């Protein structure tokens, strides 16, 4: 089955800096890669996703890049703010309607 | 606003008890999923369902079963609860064509 590795497990940045979280996947048939943000005590929420026919996608301060050849994808957050502090999970699946395999998560702390 | 509702936020059960965790969605979603979330291990898939009365094993089905008698309801059953099943349990749903999951708020189960 699919295996998703996520790094780093913790990341601490100063407010205004950029943050990058990286994931690799093992199943070459995977073609859908969402990112979820989970604030403390709350449910995970989808923040951005990318499909395999696209190399990059942006939504305001967040962007995701995908390298299918290398089987890795990354989340980029620019101009970080304290409210970006949360656990971020990457995931992969064979389609947006298929089961997701998640990475182990990254705890992002943005220091004021 | 779409909703996935889990019946209990916190639950304490004794070893050997039969435990039912209930999840209801009001979005007419075809797909429903049960994950458990543990620190350092991320979200791991227990069972999922693409249709009424249909179920498929995820990555860690041992010790669990599920029931989907109606489209909107997906139940997770711990046949004989054990202490290693102490965890946060997250239910999610999605449309057959995606995208992404909507998660419930989670049930924190403690088995003593």
């Amino acid at each position: 089955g699919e295996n998703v590795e996520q790094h780093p497990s913790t990341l601490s940045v100063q407010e205004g800096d950029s943050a990058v979280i990286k994931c690799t996947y093992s199943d070459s048939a995977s073609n859908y890669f969402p990112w979820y943000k989970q604030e403390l005590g709350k449910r995970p929420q989808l923040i951005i996703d990318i499909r395999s026919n696209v190399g990059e996608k942006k939504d305001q301060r967040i962007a995701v890049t995908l390298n299918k050849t290398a089987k890795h994808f990354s989340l980029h957050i620019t101009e970080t703010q304290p409210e970006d502090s949360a656990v971020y999970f990457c995931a992969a699946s064979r389609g947006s309607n298929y089961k997701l395999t998640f990475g182990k998560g990254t705890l992002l702390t943005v220091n004021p | 606003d779409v909703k996935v509702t889990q019946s209990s936020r916190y639950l304490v059960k004794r070893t050997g008890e039969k435990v039912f965790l209930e999840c209801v969605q009001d979005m007419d979603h075809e797909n429903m999923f049960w994950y458990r979330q543990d620190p350092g291990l991320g979200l791991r898939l227990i069972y999922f369902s693409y249709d009424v009365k249909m179920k498929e094993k995820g990555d860690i089905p041992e010790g669990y079963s599920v029931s989907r008698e109606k489209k909107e309801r997906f139940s997770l059953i711990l046949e004989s609860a054990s202490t290693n099943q102490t965890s946060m349990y997250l239910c999610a749903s999605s449309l057959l064509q995606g995208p992404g999951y909507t998660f419930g708020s989670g049930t924190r189960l403690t088995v003593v």
Side-chain angles (χ1 to χ4, degrees), chain B residues 20-75:
Chain B
F20 293 85
L21 302 183
E22 305 288 345
C23 177
V24 178
Q25 49 95 3
D26 65 358
M27 301 165 285
D28 203 34
H29 283 177
E30 293 87 358
N31 305 331
M32 296 189 75
F33 307 85
W34 275 106
Y35 285 82
R36 64 177 281 177
Q37 182 176 16
D38 300 287
L41 296 179
L43 285 76
R44 293 179 293 165
L45 182 62
I46 304 171
Y47 267 97
F48 59 105
S49 169
Y50 290 144
D51 201 352
V52 176
K53 297 191 184 295
M54 174 272 178
K55 60 185 178 183
E56 287 195 34
K57 293 180 180 179
D59 299 317
I60 52 165
E62 296 79 17
Y64 303 95
S65 62
V66 290
S67 173
R68 195 167 181 199
E69 296 296 318
K70 294 184 177 181
K71 188 176 184 180
E72 67 270 19
R73 185 180 297 270
F74 192 37
S75 302

Side-chain angles (χ1 to χ4, degrees), chain A residues 2 32 34 36 38 41-46 49 51 87 89 96-105, chain B residues 4 9 31 33 35 37 40-43 45 48 50 59 90 95-101 103-105:
Chain A
E2 175 68 278
Y32 175 66
Y36 286 82
Q38 186 178 30
K42 296 191 176 180
R43 69 190 77 190
Q45 292 198 305
L46 178 69
D49 57 12
R51 288 173 170 78
V87 177
F89 292 97
S96 57
N97 61 337
Y98 202 72
K99 60 177 181 174
L100 289 173
T101 299
F102 286 86
K104 292 182 179 180
Chain B
V4 177
R9 185 77 171 129
N31 305 331
F33 307 85
Y35 285 82
Q37 182 176 16
L41 296 179
L43 285 76
L45 182 62
F48 59 105
Y50 290 144
D59 299 317
L90 287 167
L95 287 167
L96 199 58
Q97 69 269 30
Y101 290 178
F103 280 94
S105 296

Side-chain angles (χ1 to χ4, degrees), chain A residues 36-109:
Chain A
Y36 286 82
K37 175 183 180 182
Q38 186 178 30
E39 297 177 10
L40 187 63
K42 296 191 176 180
R43 69 190 77 190
Q45 292 198 305
L46 178 69
I47 56 171
I48 195 168
D49 57 12
I50 191 168
R51 288 173 170 78
S52 58
N53 58 348
V54 175
E56 183 176 2
K57 184 176 179 180
K58 286 183 180 180
D59 183 2
Q60 299 183 334
R61 296 187 296 108
I62 61 173
V64 58
T65 59
L66 172 65
N67 183 327
K68 281 205 71 179
T69 304
K71 288 193 277 189
H72 68 70
F73 56 111
S74 300
L75 178 71
H76 304 253
I77 307 174
T78 58
E79 300 173 17
T80 54
Q81 300 167 4
E83 50 265 40
D84 294 330
S85 296
V87 177
Y88 291 81
F89 292 97
C90 63
S93 78
R94 291 186 174 186
S96 57
N97 61 337
Y98 202 72
K99 60 177 181 174
L100 289 173
T101 299
F102 286 86
K104 292 182 179 180
T106 297
L107 174 61
L108 173 64
T109 302

